[in-house]
Amino acid sequence: MIKLAILLKRRKGMTHQEFLNYRREIHAPLLLSIPETKQYVRKFIFSGSVHTPGYPHPVYDAMVEAWFDSLEDLNAFFQSDNFVNKVDPDHEHFLDVDAAVRLITEETVVI
């Protein structure tokens, strides 16, 4: 299993709540509308940061985790015409694209 984790920051001038709303109401339906999502993505998790007293203020606004069967599937998804032309351009509407931190991992089950 290949997993992609991405730490996200919202676009400047957007509140955290506006960021969460845009992602839920506009971006998520767009992502789900392309057939490659069902074809290649095994699991997709979006986690919004929570300010918790006693802990430092979150540096990032959210984390995305996407699971794929293989590195080839990950590449096929992100290089598909639908992702490149429909989904990816929408990121600029709510993300600081240059601030995103990506980590591709291969799962090893320990327990």
Side-chain angles (χ1 to χ4, degrees), residues 3 5 10 20 34 41 49 51 53-54 57 60 64 82 86-87 95 102 105:
K3 295 182 180 179
R10 68 184 180 265
L20 295 175
I34 65 170
V41 180
S49 64
H51 177 68
H57 189 76
Y60 293 91
V64 166
N82 280 326
K86 293 180 181 178
V87 178
L95 295 178
R102 293 168 186 82
T105 66

Side-chain angles (χ1 to χ4, degrees), residues 28-47:
L30 179 62
L31 177 66
L32 294 172
S33 75
I34 65 170
E36 291 83 0
T37 301
K38 285 186 180 180
Q39 181 179 359
Y40 296 114
V41 180
R42 295 297 158 243
K43 189 169 189 174
F44 187 90
I45 301 166
F46 176 89
S47 302

Side-chain angles (χ1 to χ4, degrees), residues 13-31:
M14 182 177 258
T15 68
H16 184 70
Q17 192 59 52
E18 289 170 333
F19 165 78
L20 295 175
N21 291 346
Y22 187 95
R23 199 268 339 149
R24 182 183 62 245
E25 297 168 10
I26 297 170
H27 190 72
L30 179 62
L31 177 66

Side-chain angles (χ1 to χ4, degrees), residues 4-12 19 46 59-64 78 83 88 91-92 94-104:
L4 169 66
I6 309 172
L7 296 174
L8 304 171
K9 286 188 177 185
R10 68 184 180 265
R11 188 189 74 198
K12 290 185 194 295
F19 165 78
F46 176 89
V59 175
Y60 293 91
D61 293 288
M63 180 181 77
V64 166
F78 286 108
F83 183 84
D88 197 34
H91 289 135
E92 293 183 8
F94 71 109
L95 295 178
D96 178 347
V97 176
D98 294 330
V101 175
R102 293 168 186 82
L103 177 65
I104 298 173

